[in-house]
Amino acid sequence: MIINCARYCSGRRQEEVDLHDDAAFDGERQGFVWIGLQEPDEALLRRAQSRFALHDLAVEDAHQAHQRPKVEIYGDSLFLVLRNAAWNGTCVDFGETHVFAGRGHVVTVRHGMSPPYVQVRERAERAEAGLVHGEGFVVYALLDFVVDCYAPVVQALEAEVDAVERAVFTHRGETADVQRAYDLRYELMQLRRTIAPLQEICGRLMRFDTPLFSEELRPYLRDVQDHVIQLVHDIDDLRELLSAALESNMLLASVEMTDTTKKLAAWAAILAVPTAVAGIYGMNFDVMPELRQPLGYPAVLLAIALACGLLYQRFRKARWL
């Protein structure tokens, strides 16, 4: 449940820290503590709350999870909710990361699907020039890592959309292709709801009244915001592409249905000629001129054939057949 717990000072990792050791958190310690928790129970969260004076509402949100992406500022500390995303081959899996950051501490709480933050910690420890800025740089590193993990998901969805688009135009209206297109639209909508709020979050963190972030960190946050904006644009483009493919598929299906209707109507008109003649002769009249003629029957058949042939040529010329 406690993945990692270490103290950092002057841009370097100093020592491992035990969350339950009171001596490790006395007022004389310099730097800040970075603690990683994964699906902690309430007792562990309350221990972290008492240790770092975390706000009750933020602790409650971190314990319950299922929160929307947001940032809340409580005095000189902040509470950040991020949603993780990963492509499992058929759909997007989502998880949550809650970040408590204040003077002297950064606490991350992970729920559900979430990539390990070992890479973030190692990258931050190698960037001593950035880690000198303290807790704000750690928050930026976490935010940047989460946003970077969205890119492979968007690329996987783009490949799926391309495949569905080809299938829709090739198979023209098969139920499985249309269902897959709607499933992808839902995944894109969910992903957009996850990513889009980060634009506002980054904008708020760049404001001058936000604690922990110095002027030197604001360009880094602006870079993350640019990535978020690009991802949102890519998702919107994919959604429009799917919508266009579905609309085109419906138009093609309508055109095919119209062509089929024309062919059926043309053949029905051609068959109506012998049907009408046969219906007249089926009335069993005794006085009909051609009944007593030796060539009456062949003449009627010839007339029927000529009439059907004429109709066939007219419909072919009109591209109904």
Side-chain angles (χ1 to χ4, degrees):
M1 298 181 63
I2 300 179
I3 305 302
N4 210 325
C5 185
R7 181 178 299 277
Y8 297 83
C9 185
S10 301
R12 295 184 179 181
R13 184 181 181 126
Q14 298 296 317
E15 58 181 348
E16 297 289 333
V17 177
D18 184 359
L19 183 61
H20 302 280
D21 184 7
D22 294 334
F25 296 92
D26 57 35
E28 298 179 359
R29 300 280 182 171
Q30 300 296 321
F32 67 94
V33 175
W34 183 357
I35 303 176
L37 307 177
Q38 184 171 9
E39 297 187 355
D41 56 20
E42 186 175 1
L44 185 56
L45 274 177
R46 294 302 177 186
R47 166 68 66 175
Q49 180 183 16
S50 62
R51 184 71 70 192
F52 303 113
L54 306 180
H55 198 278
D56 288 337
L57 294 176
V59 172
E60 181 180 355
D61 288 345
H63 179 58
Q64 295 178 352
H66 305 293
Q67 304 293 319
R68 63 178 178 83
K70 64 179 181 178
V71 59
E72 301 287 350
I73 298 176
Y74 301 100
D76 60 350
S77 63
L78 59 87
F79 173 63
L80 182 64
V81 178
L82 304 173
R83 296 199 67 193
N84 307 97
W87 180 252
N88 65 11
T90 56
C91 61
V92 182
D93 290 330
F94 293 97
E96 289 186 33
T97 297
H98 303 255
V99 182
F100 299 88
R103 297 301 177 187
H105 70 274
V106 176
V107 181
T108 61
V109 180
R110 292 157 49 193
H111 289 278
M113 193 295 305
S114 174
Y117 287 144
V118 176
Q119 303 176 37
V120 184
R121 194 178 289 267
E122 291 177 350
R123 186 189 307 173
E125 290 174 357
R126 289 194 300 267
E128 295 183 8
L131 201 56
V132 169
H133 296 288
E135 303 87 346
F137 182 80
V138 174
V139 175
Y140 151 74
L142 292 168
L143 185 60
D144 183 58
F145 178 74
V146 170
V147 173
D148 286 344
C149 289
Y150 292 143
V153 178
V154 174
Q155 292 174 2
L157 284 170
E158 183 177 3
E160 289 290 323
V161 170
D162 290 340
V164 168
E165 184 184 23
R166 290 193 298 270
V168 164
F169 282 101
T170 301
H171 303 154
R172 293 188 180 181
E174 288 193 4
T175 304
D177 298 329
V178 176
Q179 181 63 46
R180 184 56 178 161
Y182 277 101
D183 290 342
L184 287 175
R185 286 187 66 180
Y186 176 77
E187 297 294 336
L188 288 168
M189 179 187 67
Q190 291 290 95
L191 188 60
R192 193 184 192 285
R193 289 178 178 176
T194 296
I195 299 177
L198 295 180
Q199 300 183 55
E200 181 181 354
I201 290 174
C202 291
R204 187 172 183 185
L205 293 178
M206 285 189 291
R207 295 176 184 171
F208 292 96
D209 58 345
T210 305
L212 305 181
F213 290 94
S214 60
E215 181 65 30
E216 291 80 3
L217 290 177
R218 290 190 172 89
Y220 293 92
L221 293 173
R222 191 177 301 113
D223 180 68
V224 174
Q225 188 181 45
D226 290 340
H227 292 169
V228 171
I229 293 173
Q230 183 60 52
L231 289 171
V232 172
H233 286 171
D234 292 342
I235 292 174
D236 289 340
D237 290 342
L238 292 177
R239 293 179 66 188
E240 291 180 4
L241 189 60
L242 269 180
S243 298
L246 288 173
E247 291 176 2
S248 300
N249 176 71
M250 294 179 64
L251 290 174
L252 290 173
S254 177
V255 170
E256 288 186 352
M257 185 178 298
T258 302
D259 290 339
T260 302
T261 303
K262 288 180 178 180
K263 291 178 180 179
L264 292 175
W267 283 114
I270 293 173
L271 293 176
V273 174
T275 301
V277 174
I280 294 173
Y281 277 89
M283 294 180 183
N284 297 322
F285 288 116
D286 288 333
V287 183
M288 295 184 74
E290 64 275 10
L291 288 178
R292 307 301 177 184
Q293 300 295 326
L295 298 178
Y297 181 68
V300 171
L301 291 181
L302 180 61
I304 292 174
L306 290 174
C308 290
L310 178 62
L311 287 174
Y312 181 80
Q313 291 297 327
R314 293 296 299 271
F315 284 127
R316 287 279 294 180
K317 185 175 182 180
R319 299 182 182 274
W320 280 42
L321 290 175

